[in-house]
Each structure stands twice: as structure tokens, then as C-alpha cells.
Amino acid sequence: MKICAIISEYNPFHAGHLLQIQKIRKKMPDCLIVSIMSGNYVQRGEPALWDKYFRAACAVRAGGPDLVLELPLTAALSSAEGFAQGGVQLVASIGCVTHLSFGCETGTEENLLTLASLLESDAFAGLLRQRLANGISYAQAAEQAVSTLHPDLAPLLRSPNDMLAVQYCRALQKNCPRIQPIAVRRIGAAHDGTPVGDIPSASYIRSLFHDNRNEEAFALLPKQYRKSCYTARRHSWSNLEAAVLPYLRRISPAYIASLPNVSEGLENRFHTACQNAGNLSELWENARSRRHPLSRIRRLTLCAYLGITQELASLPPSYATVLAMDTEGQKILKEMKKTCTLPVIIKPAQARSLTGNAEKLWKLTLSADDQYYFPLSAGYSWKCTPFRCEI
């Protein structure tokens, strides 16, 4: 059985995502597809547009993946490297996945794997440290270092999707080299771009909703789940802002220093911004810098508010939560019973038996979900069950 994994956000699922899946199925007609999807918070450092069970159900109903599992919260709110690492570690733990597919602008599997190996070299590490000492961002420093060692590959670090594709290949080489990468060239809207033809970007769809241009946004969604979105509750930073900023004013630089990816005095800069800002936009503007881009500061904001310390962020995936499936997805679950090295949580009640690190990560996610679902009663996640599509 061939099983291809996709690490995703589906925020929301749209025509570009469906095109990737169609290309995989054209290449491997007998392949089943499992998506490892971010939960209620996403990598750019914000609440997801819709909750994780609804987004997973939309993806399956639109002809997308056969099975959707949740990407651990700590990986979802990490850098590109941490996002890829957490996703690939979960893919490896499933045990029966044979391929990993990802979108990219310019890369091929061969070039991406070559660059991934280069990023592990001592020569790259030395050049990276030199560039970072100049106060530029990691992405800029990495591109400059690669330009010195292998100029032909440096363009692969200029777009977010190519950068993420390289990190997927890097994580595959570390954790499960037996899994074959499948690079799918992106067609249509660029990352954060306006629609090209019939393919929008997810960020453009979200921007329409945030600007109350709802009918335009609905028109860009797959028809299979469009109608259900009219009544689905939408989320954004505005749902959390009134609670987040007062909380951040109470935290100390020492606590901030315990959070993921905080170094070189960022804890002091962020603490000062928390004390002086009148809203989150002002906080982010005051805390960001050439070295610390907006997405990193917004992730830091969520990590601080949700209690995601570096200690917790360093833990590997400890269980797999099922969010949605179709009949083919149930076949993957059946195979996982024989191969998966982690507990598989289908009904939330099964999580009551988790212990150790798995219990810590479950409680962290449960608490974060309580903030997301507010003003619903705490513990709402215990009532959620996976969507099953029987068609």
C-alpha cells in the first residue's frame, strides 16, 4: 500500500491544495493520502480561520486527503525548521507512510535534497554564524551562506514554500530517509498573493473575510463545503486581543527567555514592547526588527500566552489525533494499528490514558483550545469527534 503524507494548514482548503492532491493521485493512482494539519493555531502566528475539526472536514469533503491528523501545537507555532521537523517526526511515527509531498516554486527533489544536505554541513554552519552576527534574519543569512558555497541553489531559499520544502527534505534525511519526497510545482497565486486564474492563496481568502468581503471569499471556496461555511464561526486575533495584552504585561523577561527561539536580548525587547503597547499591532511593530520578523514575533506572542516553553517545544510528537477521514482514510487507520509507534486518539476520551510527555502535550493543547473556543465552556475539545465521510 502506498501512502503519501502532506504537511498542511488548509487555512482554508482551496483549489491549489486540491490540485496538489490530484497531481499525486495522477502519479500514483493507487495511493492513499494522509494530511498532517495544523490545529487551531497556525505557523504565521495567529488563530486559524476555522477550528481544526471543521477545516479537516472541509478538506475531506472537497476531495482532498483521505485522513487528517493534527500537527502538534508546538510544531504548528514553530519556525519553518521546527514546523517541518515536527510534521516529519509524526509522519515517521505513523510507520506506513511511503511518500511525502510538498509544494514549491522552483525546486526539484534532487536540488532540494542536495541543498538539505548542504544545510547540515560544517561549512554552512560557519558561514551562517558569520552572517547572523551582522544582525540579519535567518532566511537572509542562510541565503548568503549558500550563495558562497553553491550559488545555483541559493534561489531555493528566496521563497517561503521553497524554504519550507528544503526543511522537509532536511527532516526526512534526519528522521526517515526511506520516505520518498514528491515535489509538486505550485501553480496559481504566490504565497500571500492575489488569485491567478482559478487558484487563490489561502491568505487572500482570509483577507477577504477579515475585510468583511464575505461573498467574494465564499466564491473562492470549493463548492463541496462552501455552504457550511456561511454559519461556521470565524476566528482571528480580534477574538483574543482583549485577554492577551493584559496577560503579557504581567510576564517577566525571565519567563520570556524560557520560550522557544528567544535569544540575544529578545526577551528584553519583547518585555518592553508588552509594557508600552496599547494594542497587539503596536506591540508587534515595537518588538520586530531585521533579525526578528513579524511572523516570529506573533508566534512568540502566542507561545507566551499559551504557555509553550522551550522545554515543551523540544518534545517530539507523542500521540496522533484524528480530525477527519473518508472510507479510504479508515484503511490507513487500520494499517496504522499495526505500524504506528504512538497512541492514536480518535475519540478525545482515549487521551485520558496518556502519561508522561504525551499527557503534558495533550493538556497544553487542551488549554490552548480553550482559549481559541472562548466563550464556549472550557473543555469543549472533549466533545469533539472526527468527521467521517462515507461517500
Side-chain angles (χ1 to χ4, degrees):
M1 178 185 295
K2 293 180 181 178
I3 299 176
C4 183
I6 300 172
I7 302 170
S8 64
E9 291 190 321
Y10 296 157
N11 188 34
F13 186 90
H14 58 69
H17 299 128
L18 182 59
L19 182 62
Q20 178 190 11
I21 289 172
Q22 290 172 337
K23 288 186 175 182
I24 296 169
R25 287 178 170 149
K26 182 176 181 180
K27 184 173 184 177
M28 297 184 294
D30 58 341
C31 181
L32 303 182
I33 297 177
V34 54
S35 174
I36 312 299
M37 188 192 80
S38 296
N40 287 333
Y41 301 90
V42 294
Q43 204 259 343
R44 63 177 56 221
E46 63 187 22
L49 179 66
W50 292 303
D51 84 84
K52 55 191 177 184
Y53 284 97
F54 182 78
R55 290 182 3 258
C58 289
V60 171
R61 290 171 61 191
D66 301 300
L67 176 69
V68 182
L69 305 178
E70 182 176 1
L71 178 70
L73 173 65
T74 50
L77 287 178
S78 184
S79 63
E81 181 178 359
F83 183 92
Q85 176 78 359
V88 169
Q89 284 179 328
L90 183 54
V91 168
S93 299
I94 292 172
C96 54
V97 172
T98 56
H99 298 77
L100 176 71
S101 178
F102 43 79
C104 60
E105 274 82 13
T106 58
T108 63
E109 290 94 342
E110 182 180 2
N111 285 342
L112 292 167
L113 288 167
T114 299
L115 180 52
S117 297
L118 182 63
L119 297 185
E120 293 296 317
S121 68
D122 291 339
F124 171 79
L127 288 171
L128 181 67
R129 284 193 296 270
Q130 292 176 18
R131 301 306 191 275
L132 287 174
N134 295 328
I136 60 177
S137 69
Y138 174 87
Q140 293 172 313
E143 183 183 344
Q144 291 180 16
V146 172
S147 293
T148 302
L149 298 170
H150 204 315
D152 292 345
L153 296 179
L156 293 177
L157 297 178
R158 291 175 188 165
S159 74
N161 289 294
D162 280 342
M163 168 72 89
L164 188 54
V166 171
Q167 296 298 346
Y168 287 141
C169 290
R170 195 177 179 186
L172 284 176
Q173 291 173 338
K174 288 181 181 179
N175 297 280
C176 44
R178 64 176 179 79
I179 295 179
Q180 301 178 42
I182 301 178
V184 175
R185 186 172 178 272
R186 286 173 58 93
I187 298 175
H191 184 81
D192 286 343
T194 54
V196 175
D198 296 328
I199 301 180
S201 68
S203 58
Y204 180 73
I205 295 173
R206 293 194 304 273
S207 71
L208 291 177
F209 278 122
H210 296 330
D211 291 341
N212 292 317
R213 296 163 62 186
N214 296 339
E215 292 305 318
E216 293 177 65
F218 287 132
L220 295 173
L221 300 175
K223 61 182 180 180
Q224 294 94 328
Y225 73 81
R226 186 183 304 164
K227 186 176 180 180
S228 63
C229 296
Y230 279 82
T231 55
R233 182 189 175 197
R234 295 195 294 273
H235 297 253
S236 69
W237 265 111
S238 62
N239 299 86
L240 294 175
E241 184 163 15
V244 171
L245 194 54
Y247 172 82
L248 293 181
R249 286 188 174 179
R250 298 198 301 271
I251 63 177
S252 67
Y255 172 71
I256 299 169
S258 74
L259 303 175
N261 301 311
V262 174
S263 60
E264 300 173 332
L266 177 57
E267 65 272 23
N268 296 317
R269 184 184 184 94
F270 187 75
H271 181 263
T272 299
C274 291
Q275 301 307 307
N276 297 328
N279 55 60
L280 287 177
S281 295
E282 188 177 336
L283 185 158
W284 297 331
E285 189 60 35
N286 292 340
R288 68 188 296 188
S289 66
R290 279 205 309 163
R291 183 70 181 274
H292 307 114
L294 178 60
S295 58
R296 181 174 174 182
I297 297 300
R298 297 200 320 195
R299 287 195 299 270
L300 176 57
T301 302
L302 278 173
C303 287
Y305 181 62
L306 300 176
I308 304 175
T309 62
Q310 177 58 42
E311 179 184 2
L312 290 169
S314 65
L315 297 176
S318 301
Y319 57 88
T321 301
V322 178
L323 299 178
M325 70 189 89
D326 60 16
T327 53
E328 297 299 305
Q330 294 178 45
K331 294 179 183 178
I332 302 176
L333 277 178
K334 184 177 180 180
E335 189 68 17
M336 285 174 59
K337 289 182 179 179
K338 298 180 284 185
T339 63
C340 189
T341 60
L342 301 176
V344 178
I345 307 300
I346 300 177
K347 296 180 180 179
Q350 295 171 307
R352 298 188 189 280
S353 63
L354 296 176
T355 60
N357 290 337
E359 184 181 19
K360 289 181 183 178
L361 292 173
W362 175 265
K363 288 182 176 178
L364 174 71
T365 303
L366 188 69
S367 174
D369 286 350
D370 280 345
Q371 308 309 310
Y372 182 87
Y373 288 121
F374 183 84
L376 297 178
S377 299
Y380 176 76
S381 294
W382 290 109
K383 304 175 184 178
C384 298
T385 56
F387 170 78
R388 296 173 184 261
C389 181
E390 303 297 339
I391 299 177

